[in-house]
């Protein structure tokens, strides 16, 4: 696995970038100036940047969030969220009684949908955007509830396939962790965010790209960003300081052999890695 000095070293080979957000552009507490600068420069010198995130909310609230974290509008052209692409599945079932499993901050997911939010006992469909309290809970706290849903053969729509994300220096569980447990129990899940094809199709459409154009994906998670890029036939620039940082050695000096071993074990590949996204010298945020 080759270490890349900066996005500038690859930019001439690509006409667009699809970039992960949480873990690459910000950590849920603050944005990373080097990453923001790299995206601004790519847009200026090469082509469109589409932020592709597994956030379970529509793009509007996510744009407001990243503005507050210091990500300016000129760092990207479009943002495509797992929430937006997953809403389509729910929208195709008007009148359905839906149980919302997740924090109230994710309620914008349902705005404009012809569904009825109900309690657990009335539910015909489970819509999972995350844990009720991701500060204190883990998937283990949901075993009994998920078991009851599986026994009733309810489908779970997962609006965020991420297992964990960084919030500051802490890893917190996401909806994908509950969906994984639901599947282990024998339940049926529906996922449209990374690494699944719908979110990539939406991102490429948003960028106005045609077949044959060179697109670079940027991300920090093997099961979502790396797997998704491979499924979509895109090259990947891997950011090693994200959720897998502890697997690779010191944050600023990760071990290329350890990164290569993880990629090989998962049958994944990348054009190279950087500890942190930057236009040049990607060693620090």
């Amino acid at each position: 696995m080759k270490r890349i000095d900066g996005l500038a070293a690859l930019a001439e080979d690509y006409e667009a970038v699809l970039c992960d957000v949480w873990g690459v552009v910000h950590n849920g507490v603050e944005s990373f100036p080097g990453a923001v600068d790299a995206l601004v420069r790519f847009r200026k010198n090469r082509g469109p940047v589409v932020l592709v995130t597994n956030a379970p909310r529509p793009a509007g609230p996510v744009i407001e969030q990243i503005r507050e974290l210091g990500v300016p509008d000129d760092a990207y052209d479009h943002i495509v969220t797992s929430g937006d692409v997953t809403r389509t599945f729910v929208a195709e079932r008007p009148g359905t009684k839906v149980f919302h499993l997740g924090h109230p901050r994710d309620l914008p997911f349902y705005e404009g949908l012809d569904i009825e939010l109900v309690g657990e006992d009335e539910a015909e469909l489970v819509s999972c955007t995350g844990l009720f309290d991701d500060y204190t809970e883990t998937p283990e706290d949901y075993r009994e509830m998920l078991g009851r849903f599986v026994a009733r053969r309810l489908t779970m729509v997962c609006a965020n396939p991420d297992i964990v994300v960084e919030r500051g220096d802490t890893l917190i569980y996401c909806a994908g962790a509950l969906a994984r447990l639901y599947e282990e129990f024998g339940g049926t899940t529906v996922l449209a965010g990374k690494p699944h094809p719908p979110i990539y199709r939406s991102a490429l459409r948003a960028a106005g790209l045609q077949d044959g154009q060179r697109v670079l994906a940027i991300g920090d998670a093997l099961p979502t960003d790396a797997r998704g890029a491979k499924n979509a036939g895109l090259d990947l620039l891997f950011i090693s300081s994200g959720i897998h940082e502890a697997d690779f050695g010191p944050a600023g000096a990760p071990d290329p052999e350890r990164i290569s071993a993880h990629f090989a074990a998962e049958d994944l590949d990348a054009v190279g890695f950087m500890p942190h996204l930057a236009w040049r010298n990607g060693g620090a945020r």
Side-chain angles (χ1 to χ4, degrees), residues 21-69:
V21 181
W22 204 313
V24 176
V25 181
H26 71 73
N27 64 0
V29 176
E30 60 184 355
S31 61
F32 306 139
V36 170
D37 176 66
L39 298 180
V40 169
R41 289 175 182 270
F42 186 91
R43 288 189 69 225
K44 179 179 179 180
N45 296 314
R46 293 298 301 155
V49 171
V50 180
L51 299 184
V52 185
T53 172
N54 271 346
R57 297 172 297 284
V62 175
I63 290 171
E64 293 177 8
Q65 178 196 27
I66 64 176
R67 280 176 182 161
E68 292 176 358
L69 295 176

mmCIF file of all heavy atoms in Angstrom, residues 21-69:
data_model
loop_
_atom_site.group_PDB
_atom_site.id
_atom_site.type_symbol
_atom_site.label_atom_id
_atom_site.label_comp_id
_atom_site.label_asym_id
_atom_site.label_seq_id
_atom_site.Cartn_x
_atom_site.Cartn_y
_atom_site.Cartn_z
ATOM 1 N N VAL A 21 -17.634 11.884 4.612
ATOM 2 C CA VAL A 21 -17.711 13.094 5.429
ATOM 3 C C VAL A 21 -17.188 12.840 6.841
ATOM 4 O O VAL A 21 -16.138 13.347 7.243
ATOM 5 C CB VAL A 21 -19.166 13.629 5.477
ATOM 6 C CG1 VAL A 21 -19.235 14.898 6.317
ATOM 7 C CG2 VAL A 21 -19.673 13.888 4.069
ATOM 8 N N TRP A 22 -17.919 12.019 7.613
ATOM 9 C CA TRP A 22 -17.566 11.805 9.013
ATOM 10 C C TRP A 22 -16.316 10.929 9.080
ATOM 11 O O TRP A 22 -16.293 9.811 8.599
ATOM 12 C CB TRP A 22 -18.717 11.129 9.741
ATOM 13 C CG TRP A 22 -18.747 11.350 11.223
ATOM 14 C CD1 TRP A 22 -17.708 11.243 12.095
ATOM 15 C CD2 TRP A 22 -19.872 11.731 12.013
ATOM 16 N NE1 TRP A 22 -18.097 11.524 13.365
ATOM 17 C CE2 TRP A 22 -19.431 11.827 13.355
ATOM 18 C CE3 TRP A 22 -21.207 11.985 11.724
ATOM 19 C CZ2 TRP A 22 -20.283 12.160 14.411
ATOM 20 C CZ3 TRP A 22 -22.058 12.324 12.767
ATOM 21 C CH2 TRP A 22 -21.613 12.405 14.092
ATOM 22 N N GLY A 23 -15.234 11.456 9.680
ATOM 23 C CA GLY A 23 -13.970 10.742 9.769
ATOM 24 C C GLY A 23 -12.947 11.224 8.761
ATOM 25 O O GLY A 23 -11.754 11.004 8.940
ATOM 26 N N VAL A 24 -13.410 11.892 7.705
ATOM 27 C CA VAL A 24 -12.503 12.430 6.680
ATOM 28 C C VAL A 24 -12.531 13.957 6.685
ATOM 29 O O VAL A 24 -11.480 14.606 6.697
ATOM 30 C CB VAL A 24 -12.872 11.906 5.282
ATOM 31 C CG1 VAL A 24 -11.978 12.550 4.212
ATOM 32 C CG2 VAL A 24 -12.718 10.391 5.223
ATOM 33 N N VAL A 25 -13.729 14.530 6.704
ATOM 34 C CA VAL A 25 -13.876 15.989 6.670
ATOM 35 C C VAL A 25 -14.105 16.558 8.063
ATOM 36 O O VAL A 25 -13.710 17.685 8.362
ATOM 37 C CB VAL A 25 -15.029 16.384 5.719
ATOM 38 C CG1 VAL A 25 -15.195 17.891 5.655
ATOM 39 C CG2 VAL A 25 -14.769 15.835 4.320
ATOM 40 N N HIS A 26 -14.736 15.798 8.936
ATOM 41 C CA HIS A 26 -14.917 16.213 10.333
ATOM 42 C C HIS A 26 -15.052 14.973 11.207
ATOM 43 O O HIS A 26 -15.183 13.849 10.713
ATOM 44 C CB HIS A 26 -16.132 17.140 10.496
ATOM 45 C CG HIS A 26 -17.464 16.463 10.338
ATOM 46 N ND1 HIS A 26 -18.000 15.610 11.280
ATOM 47 C CD2 HIS A 26 -18.396 16.524 9.346
ATOM 48 C CE1 HIS A 26 -19.182 15.180 10.892
ATOM 49 N NE2 HIS A 26 -19.446 15.705 9.697
ATOM 50 N N ASN A 27 -15.007 15.188 12.527
ATOM 51 C CA ASN A 27 -15.129 14.068 13.466
ATOM 52 C C ASN A 27 -16.362 14.177 14.356
ATOM 53 O O ASN A 27 -16.426 13.563 15.419
ATOM 54 C CB ASN A 27 -13.876 13.957 14.339
ATOM 55 C CG ASN A 27 -13.666 15.172 15.236
ATOM 56 O OD1 ASN A 27 -14.460 16.123 15.215
ATOM 57 N ND2 ASN A 27 -12.590 15.174 16.007
ATOM 58 N N GLY A 28 -17.330 14.977 13.909
ATOM 59 C CA GLY A 28 -18.540 15.163 14.696
ATOM 60 C C GLY A 28 -18.445 16.291 15.699
ATOM 61 O O GLY A 28 -19.453 16.708 16.268
ATOM 62 N N VAL A 29 -17.230 16.817 15.908
ATOM 63 C CA VAL A 29 -17.000 17.907 16.850
ATOM 64 C C VAL A 29 -16.404 19.116 16.142
ATOM 65 O O VAL A 29 -16.768 20.259 16.410
ATOM 66 C CB VAL A 29 -16.074 17.449 18.004
ATOM 67 C CG1 VAL A 29 -15.749 18.612 18.942
ATOM 68 C CG2 VAL A 29 -16.708 16.305 18.783
ATOM 69 N N GLU A 30 -15.485 18.850 15.210
ATOM 70 C CA GLU A 30 -14.834 19.927 14.468
ATOM 71 C C GLU A 30 -14.443 19.432 13.083
ATOM 72 O O GLU A 30 -14.263 18.230 12.865
ATOM 73 C CB GLU A 30 -13.594 20.416 15.212
ATOM 74 C CG GLU A 30 -12.552 19.323 15.412
ATOM 75 C CD GLU A 30 -11.358 19.773 16.223
ATOM 76 O OE1 GLU A 30 -11.299 20.982 16.558
ATOM 77 O OE2 GLU A 30 -10.486 18.939 16.515
ATOM 78 N N SER A 31 -14.318 20.369 12.150
ATOM 79 C CA SER A 31 -13.865 20.013 10.801
ATOM 80 C C SER A 31 -12.343 19.978 10.776
ATOM 81 O O SER A 31 -11.665 20.498 11.670
ATOM 82 C CB SER A 31 -14.394 21.015 9.779
ATOM 83 O OG SER A 31 -13.903 22.318 10.057
ATOM 84 N N PHE A 32 -11.792 19.368 9.706
ATOM 85 C CA PHE A 32 -10.352 19.261 9.536
ATOM 86 C C PHE A 32 -9.933 20.239 8.440
ATOM 87 O O PHE A 32 -10.265 20.028 7.258
ATOM 88 C CB PHE A 32 -9.962 17.836 9.154
ATOM 89 C CG PHE A 32 -10.470 16.780 10.109
ATOM 90 C CD1 PHE A 32 -10.983 15.585 9.628
ATOM 91 C CD2 PHE A 32 -10.444 16.987 11.471
ATOM 92 C CE1 PHE A 32 -11.441 14.611 10.491
ATOM 93 C CE2 PHE A 32 -10.906 16.027 12.354
ATOM 94 C CZ PHE A 32 -11.411 14.830 11.864
ATOM 95 N N PRO A 33 -9.227 21.307 8.787
ATOM 96 C CA PRO A 33 -8.874 22.335 7.795
ATOM 97 C C PRO A 33 -8.135 21.780 6.580
ATOM 98 O O PRO A 33 -8.364 22.232 5.453
ATOM 99 C CB PRO A 33 -7.991 23.300 8.587
ATOM 100 C CG PRO A 33 -8.446 23.138 10.003
ATOM 101 C CD PRO A 33 -8.787 21.681 10.145
ATOM 102 N N GLY A 34 -7.243 20.813 6.781
ATOM 103 C CA GLY A 34 -6.503 20.251 5.653
ATOM 104 C C GLY A 34 -7.404 19.566 4.657
ATOM 105 O O GLY A 34 -7.206 19.678 3.433
ATOM 106 N N ALA A 35 -8.408 18.854 5.151
ATOM 107 C CA ALA A 35 -9.346 18.163 4.270
ATOM 108 C C ALA A 35 -10.211 19.168 3.512
ATOM 109 O O ALA A 35 -10.447 19.018 2.303
ATOM 110 C CB ALA A 35 -10.222 17.212 5.079
ATOM 111 N N VAL A 36 -10.701 20.179 4.215
ATOM 112 C CA VAL A 36 -11.517 21.214 3.566
ATOM 113 C C VAL A 36 -10.716 21.890 2.457
ATOM 114 O O VAL A 36 -11.203 22.081 1.335
ATOM 115 C CB VAL A 36 -11.998 22.245 4.602
ATOM 116 C CG1 VAL A 36 -12.626 23.454 3.907
ATOM 117 C CG2 VAL A 36 -13.002 21.597 5.563
ATOM 118 N N ASP A 37 -9.469 22.241 2.752
ATOM 119 C CA ASP A 37 -8.620 22.894 1.762
ATOM 120 C C ASP A 37 -8.407 22.006 0.536
ATOM 121 O O ASP A 37 -8.443 22.486 -0.607
ATOM 122 C CB ASP A 37 -7.264 23.235 2.396
ATOM 123 C CG ASP A 37 -6.282 23.824 1.402
ATOM 124 O OD1 ASP A 37 -6.531 24.940 0.912
ATOM 125 O OD2 ASP A 37 -5.265 23.157 1.114
ATOM 126 N N ALA A 38 -8.214 20.702 0.758
ATOM 127 C CA ALA A 38 -7.993 19.780 -0.357
ATOM 128 C C ALA A 38 -9.202 19.724 -1.278
ATOM 129 O O ALA A 38 -9.066 19.717 -2.512
ATOM 130 C CB ALA A 38 -7.669 18.389 0.184
ATOM 131 N N LEU A 39 -10.403 19.690 -0.703
ATOM 132 C CA LEU A 39 -11.608 19.631 -1.523
ATOM 133 C C LEU A 39 -11.842 20.936 -2.274
ATOM 134 O O LEU A 39 -12.239 20.930 -3.446
ATOM 135 C CB LEU A 39 -12.811 19.289 -0.643
ATOM 136 C CG LEU A 39 -12.746 17.930 0.062
ATOM 137 C CD1 LEU A 39 -13.998 17.711 0.896
ATOM 138 C CD2 LEU A 39 -12.561 16.801 -0.933
ATOM 139 N N VAL A 40 -11.592 22.061 -1.618
ATOM 140 C CA VAL A 40 -11.734 23.362 -2.287
ATOM 141 C C VAL A 40 -10.786 23.438 -3.479
ATOM 142 O O VAL A 40 -11.164 23.885 -4.576
ATOM 143 C CB VAL A 40 -11.454 24.505 -1.290
ATOM 144 C CG1 VAL A 40 -11.335 25.843 -2.034
ATOM 145 C CG2 VAL A 40 -12.561 24.589 -0.247
ATOM 146 N N ARG A 41 -9.557 22.984 -3.294
ATOM 147 C CA ARG A 41 -8.558 23.049 -4.368
ATOM 148 C C ARG A 41 -8.904 22.096 -5.512
ATOM 149 O O ARG A 41 -8.701 22.429 -6.690
ATOM 150 C CB ARG A 41 -7.171 22.736 -3.821
ATOM 151 C CG ARG A 41 -6.593 23.841 -2.939
ATOM 152 C CD ARG A 41 -5.273 23.407 -2.326
ATOM 153 N NE ARG A 41 -4.723 24.417 -1.458
ATOM 154 C CZ ARG A 41 -3.889 25.385 -1.849
ATOM 155 N NH1 ARG A 41 -3.532 25.477 -3.126
ATOM 156 N NH2 ARG A 41 -3.420 26.256 -0.984
ATOM 157 N N PHE A 42 -9.422 20.903 -5.183
ATOM 158 C CA PHE A 42 -9.800 19.981 -6.254
ATOM 159 C C PHE A 42 -10.922 20.590 -7.096
ATOM 160 O O PHE A 42 -10.880 20.524 -8.329
ATOM 161 C CB PHE A 42 -10.241 18.631 -5.684
ATOM 162 C CG PHE A 42 -10.504 17.607 -6.750
ATOM 163 C CD1 PHE A 42 -9.495 16.759 -7.184
ATOM 164 C CD2 PHE A 42 -11.756 17.505 -7.355
ATOM 165 C CE1 PHE A 42 -9.730 15.835 -8.198
ATOM 166 C CE2 PHE A 42 -11.997 16.581 -8.362
ATOM 167 C CZ PHE A 42 -10.977 15.746 -8.784
ATOM 168 N N ARG A 43 -11.909 21.171 -6.455
ATOM 169 C CA ARG A 43 -13.014 21.797 -7.195
ATOM 170 C C ARG A 43 -12.497 22.912 -8.108
ATOM 171 O O ARG A 43 -12.957 23.056 -9.234
ATOM 172 C CB ARG A 43 -14.038 22.396 -6.233
ATOM 173 C CG ARG A 43 -14.884 21.388 -5.498
ATOM 174 C CD ARG A 43 -15.996 22.105 -4.753
ATOM 175 N NE ARG A 43 -16.976 22.677 -5.658
ATOM 176 C CZ ARG A 43 -17.492 23.890 -5.557
ATOM 177 N NH1 ARG A 43 -17.108 24.699 -4.575
ATOM 178 N NH2 ARG A 43 -18.393 24.321 -6.419
ATOM 179 N N LYS A 44 -11.555 23.678 -7.609
ATOM 180 C CA LYS A 44 -11.033 24.800 -8.378
ATOM 181 C C LYS A 44 -10.199 24.326 -9.574
ATOM 182 O O LYS A 44 -10.270 24.915 -10.661
ATOM 183 C CB LYS A 44 -10.181 25.687 -7.476
ATOM 184 C CG LYS A 44 -9.571 26.890 -8.178
ATOM 185 C CD LYS A 44 -8.760 27.726 -7.204
ATOM 186 C CE LYS A 44 -8.121 28.928 -7.922
ATOM 187 N NZ LYS A 44 -7.323 29.767 -6.976
ATOM 188 N N ASN A 45 -9.440 23.269 -9.377
ATOM 189 C CA ASN A 45 -8.468 22.845 -10.383
ATOM 190 C C ASN A 45 -8.930 21.713 -11.290
ATOM 191 O O ASN A 45 -8.429 21.577 -12.413
ATOM 192 C CB ASN A 45 -7.162 22.420 -9.701
ATOM 193 C CG ASN A 45 -6.479 23.549 -8.966
ATOM 194 O OD1 ASN A 45 -6.350 24.641 -9.490
ATOM 195 N ND2 ASN A 45 -6.055 23.291 -7.739
ATOM 196 N N ARG A 46 -9.888 20.878 -10.821
ATOM 197 C CA ARG A 46 -10.187 19.662 -11.560
ATOM 198 C C ARG A 46 -11.661 19.462 -11.880
ATOM 199 O O ARG A 46 -12.030 19.297 -13.032
ATOM 200 C CB ARG A 46 -9.667 18.433 -10.791
ATOM 201 C CG ARG A 46 -8.158 18.353 -10.706
ATOM 202 C CD ARG A 46 -7.550 18.235 -12.096
ATOM 203 N NE ARG A 46 -8.042 17.048 -12.800
ATOM 204 C CZ ARG A 46 -8.078 16.927 -14.115
ATOM 205 N NH1 ARG A 46 -7.681 17.908 -14.883
ATOM 206 N NH2 ARG A 46 -8.533 15.815 -14.687
ATOM 207 N N GLY A 47 -12.528 19.392 -10.878
ATOM 208 C CA GLY A 47 -13.918 19.067 -11.176
ATOM 209 C C GLY A 47 -14.767 18.978 -9.925
ATOM 210 O O GLY A 47 -14.346 19.382 -8.833
ATOM 211 N N PRO A 48 -15.970 18.438 -10.050
ATOM 212 C CA PRO A 48 -16.929 18.445 -8.941
ATOM 213 C C PRO A 48 -16.523 17.538 -7.787
ATOM 214 O O PRO A 48 -15.857 16.516 -7.961
ATOM 215 C CB PRO A 48 -18.223 17.949 -9.599
ATOM 216 C CG PRO A 48 -17.773 17.176 -10.786
ATOM 217 C CD PRO A 48 -16.539 17.848 -11.276
ATOM 218 N N VAL A 49 -16.964 17.939 -6.608
ATOM 219 C CA VAL A 49 -16.816 17.154 -5.379
ATOM 220 C C VAL A 49 -18.211 16.875 -4.838
ATOM 221 O O VAL A 49 -18.998 17.802 -4.636
ATOM 222 C CB VAL A 49 -15.993 17.911 -4.316
ATOM 223 C CG1 VAL A 49 -16.049 17.183 -2.972
ATOM 224 C CG2 VAL A 49 -14.551 18.081 -4.780
ATOM 225 N N VAL A 50 -18.511 15.595 -4.630
ATOM 226 C CA VAL A 50 -19.781 15.199 -4.026
ATOM 227 C C VAL A 50 -19.466 14.554 -2.687
ATOM 228 O O VAL A 50 -18.684 13.594 -2.615
ATOM 229 C CB VAL A 50 -20.555 14.210 -4.914
ATOM 230 C CG1 VAL A 50 -21.878 13.825 -4.247
ATOM 231 C CG2 VAL A 50 -20.818 14.818 -6.287
ATOM 232 N N LEU A 51 -20.033 15.101 -1.621
ATOM 233 C CA LEU A 51 -19.895 14.477 -0.304
ATOM 234 C C LEU A 51 -20.914 13.360 -0.203
ATOM 235 O O LEU A 51 -22.106 13.559 -0.485
ATOM 236 C CB LEU A 51 -20.119 15.511 0.796
ATOM 237 C CG LEU A 51 -19.157 16.694 0.818
ATOM 238 C CD1 LEU A 51 -19.443 17.591 2.031
ATOM 239 C CD2 LEU A 51 -17.706 16.240 0.827
ATOM 240 N N VAL A 52 -20.459 12.185 0.175
ATOM 241 C CA VAL A 52 -21.308 10.997 0.249
ATOM 242 C C VAL A 52 -21.257 10.491 1.680
ATOM 243 O O VAL A 52 -20.208 10.043 2.147
ATOM 244 C CB VAL A 52 -20.833 9.908 -0.731
ATOM 245 C CG1 VAL A 52 -21.810 8.743 -0.727
ATOM 246 C CG2 VAL A 52 -20.686 10.470 -2.134
ATOM 247 N N THR A 53 -22.379 10.566 2.367
ATOM 248 C CA THR A 53 -22.392 10.267 3.787
ATOM 249 C C THR A 53 -23.497 9.289 4.148
ATOM 250 O O THR A 53 -24.582 9.322 3.568
ATOM 251 C CB THR A 53 -22.568 11.555 4.615
ATOM 252 O OG1 THR A 53 -22.772 11.211 6.002
ATOM 253 C CG2 THR A 53 -23.756 12.380 4.143
ATOM 254 N N ASN A 54 -23.222 8.456 5.132
ATOM 255 C CA ASN A 54 -24.234 7.535 5.644
ATOM 256 C C ASN A 54 -25.093 8.172 6.726
ATOM 257 O O ASN A 54 -25.798 7.463 7.461
ATOM 258 C CB ASN A 54 -23.578 6.257 6.170
ATOM 259 C CG ASN A 54 -23.419 5.201 5.092
ATOM 260 O OD1 ASN A 54 -24.009 5.294 4.024
ATOM 261 N ND2 ASN A 54 -22.620 4.186 5.363
ATOM 262 N N ALA A 55 -25.067 9.480 6.828
ATOM 263 C CA ALA A 55 -25.964 10.159 7.774
ATOM 264 C C ALA A 55 -27.411 9.784 7.453
ATOM 265 O O ALA A 55 -27.811 9.787 6.284
ATOM 266 C CB ALA A 55 -25.788 11.675 7.675
ATOM 267 N N PRO A 56 -28.209 9.477 8.487
ATOM 268 C CA PRO A 56 -29.583 9.029 8.231
ATOM 269 C C PRO A 56 -30.586 10.149 8.025
ATOM 270 O O PRO A 56 -31.788 9.908 8.011
ATOM 271 C CB PRO A 56 -29.907 8.246 9.512
ATOM 272 C CG PRO A 56 -29.123 8.939 10.572
ATOM 273 C CD PRO A 56 -27.836 9.375 9.900
ATOM 274 N N ARG A 57 -30.106 11.373 7.857
ATOM 275 C CA ARG A 57 -30.986 12.522 7.677
ATOM 276 C C ARG A 57 -30.904 13.027 6.240
ATOM 277 O O ARG A 57 -29.911 12.780 5.548
ATOM 278 C CB ARG A 57 -30.587 13.647 8.644
ATOM 279 C CG ARG A 57 -30.745 13.261 10.090
ATOM 280 C CD ARG A 57 -30.167 14.284 11.038
ATOM 281 N NE ARG A 57 -28.720 14.455 10.906
ATOM 282 C CZ ARG A 57 -27.826 13.603 11.366
ATOM 283 N NH1 ARG A 57 -28.208 12.500 11.982
ATOM 284 N NH2 ARG A 57 -26.537 13.826 11.218
ATOM 285 N N PRO A 58 -31.899 13.766 5.775
ATOM 286 C CA PRO A 58 -31.811 14.376 4.438
ATOM 287 C C PRO A 58 -30.646 15.355 4.355
ATOM 288 O O PRO A 58 -30.078 15.773 5.377
ATOM 289 C CB PRO A 58 -33.157 15.096 4.296
ATOM 290 C CG PRO A 58 -34.067 14.409 5.257
ATOM 291 C CD PRO A 58 -33.204 14.003 6.404
ATOM 292 N N ALA A 59 -30.307 15.759 3.142
ATOM 293 C CA ALA A 59 -29.133 16.599 2.932
ATOM 294 C C ALA A 59 -29.226 17.939 3.657
ATOM 295 O O ALA A 59 -28.219 18.425 4.187
ATOM 296 C CB ALA A 59 -28.936 16.833 1.432
ATOM 297 N N GLY A 60 -30.429 18.539 3.704
ATOM 298 C CA GLY A 60 -30.564 19.867 4.304
ATOM 299 C C GLY A 60 -30.012 19.961 5.713
ATOM 300 O O GLY A 60 -29.137 20.808 5.994
ATOM 301 N N PRO A 61 -30.489 19.132 6.647
ATOM 302 C CA PRO A 61 -29.955 19.195 8.007
ATOM 303 C C PRO A 61 -28.466 18.863 8.097
ATOM 304 O O PRO A 61 -27.758 19.399 8.957
ATOM 305 C CB PRO A 61 -30.794 18.143 8.753
ATOM 306 C CG PRO A 61 -32.059 18.047 7.984
ATOM 307 C CD PRO A 61 -31.656 18.253 6.547
ATOM 308 N N VAL A 62 -27.977 17.995 7.211
ATOM 309 C CA VAL A 62 -26.546 17.663 7.226
ATOM 310 C C VAL A 62 -25.718 18.857 6.776
ATOM 311 O O VAL A 62 -24.652 19.141 7.338
ATOM 312 C CB VAL A 62 -26.266 16.430 6.351
ATOM 313 C CG1 VAL A 62 -24.767 16.157 6.278
ATOM 314 C CG2 VAL A 62 -26.988 15.211 6.902
ATOM 315 N N ILE A 63 -26.203 19.578 5.768
ATOM 316 C CA ILE A 63 -25.504 20.790 5.325
ATOM 317 C C ILE A 63 -25.419 21.792 6.473
ATOM 318 O O ILE A 63 -24.365 22.406 6.704
ATOM 319 C CB ILE A 63 -26.219 21.400 4.102
ATOM 320 C CG1 ILE A 63 -26.014 20.503 2.875
ATOM 321 C CG2 ILE A 63 -25.709 22.817 3.821
ATOM 322 C CD1 ILE A 63 -26.851 20.900 1.677
ATOM 323 N N GLU A 64 -26.524 21.963 7.205
ATOM 324 C CA GLU A 64 -26.507 22.886 8.344
ATOM 325 C C GLU A 64 -25.494 22.432 9.386
ATOM 326 O O GLU A 64 -24.759 23.249 9.962
ATOM 327 C CB GLU A 64 -27.899 22.963 8.969
ATOM 328 C CG GLU A 64 -28.935 23.609 8.067
ATOM 329 C CD GLU A 64 -30.321 23.600 8.690
ATOM 330 O OE1 GLU A 64 -30.426 23.220 9.877
ATOM 331 O OE2 GLU A 64 -31.288 23.977 8.006
ATOM 332 N N GLN A 65 -25.437 21.119 9.635
ATOM 333 C CA GLN A 65 -24.504 20.598 10.633
ATOM 334 C C GLN A 65 -23.055 20.863 10.242
ATOM 335 O O GLN A 65 -22.252 21.345 11.057
ATOM 336 C CB GLN A 65 -24.708 19.098 10.811
ATOM 337 C CG GLN A 65 -23.722 18.480 11.801
ATOM 338 C CD GLN A 65 -23.654 16.970 11.706
ATOM 339 O OE1 GLN A 65 -23.914 16.390 10.660
ATOM 340 N NE2 GLN A 65 -23.311 16.315 12.810
ATOM 341 N N ILE A 66 -22.698 20.562 8.988
ATOM 342 C CA ILE A 66 -21.291 20.705 8.627
ATOM 343 C C ILE A 66 -20.895 22.179 8.508
ATOM 344 O O ILE A 66 -19.722 22.517 8.723
ATOM 345 C CB ILE A 66 -20.943 19.906 7.352
ATOM 346 C CG1 ILE A 66 -21.676 20.415 6.120
ATOM 347 C CG2 ILE A 66 -21.216 18.426 7.575
ATOM 348 C CD1 ILE A 66 -21.271 19.686 4.838
ATOM 349 N N ARG A 67 -21.846 23.047 8.199
ATOM 350 C CA ARG A 67 -21.535 24.479 8.233
ATOM 351 C C ARG A 67 -21.136 24.888 9.641
ATOM 352 O O ARG A 67 -20.166 25.632 9.843
ATOM 353 C CB ARG A 67 -22.747 25.296 7.777
ATOM 354 C CG ARG A 67 -22.950 25.376 6.274
ATOM 355 C CD ARG A 67 -24.234 26.119 5.970
ATOM 356 N NE ARG A 67 -24.508 26.192 4.536
ATOM 357 C CZ ARG A 67 -25.709 26.455 4.032
ATOM 358 N NH1 ARG A 67 -26.742 26.682 4.843
ATOM 359 N NH2 ARG A 67 -25.882 26.502 2.726
ATOM 360 N N GLU A 68 -21.903 24.412 10.614
ATOM 361 C CA GLU A 68 -21.602 24.748 12.008
ATOM 362 C C GLU A 68 -20.242 24.204 12.442
ATOM 363 O O GLU A 68 -19.581 24.778 13.319
ATOM 364 C CB GLU A 68 -22.695 24.194 12.925
ATOM 365 C CG GLU A 68 -24.044 24.875 12.756
ATOM 366 C CD GLU A 68 -25.132 24.248 13.607
ATOM 367 O OE1 GLU A 68 -24.821 23.258 14.306
ATOM 368 O OE2 GLU A 68 -26.273 24.737 13.566
ATOM 369 N N LEU A 69 -19.818 23.107 11.818
ATOM 370 C CA LEU A 69 -18.516 22.521 12.149
ATOM 371 C C LEU A 69 -17.375 23.164 11.373
ATOM 372 O O LEU A 69 -16.215 22.796 11.585
ATOM 373 C CB LEU A 69 -18.538 21.015 11.879
ATOM 374 C CG LEU A 69 -19.484 20.190 12.751
ATOM 375 C CD1 LEU A 69 -19.476 18.725 12.322
ATOM 376 C CD2 LEU A 69 -19.104 20.311 14.224
#
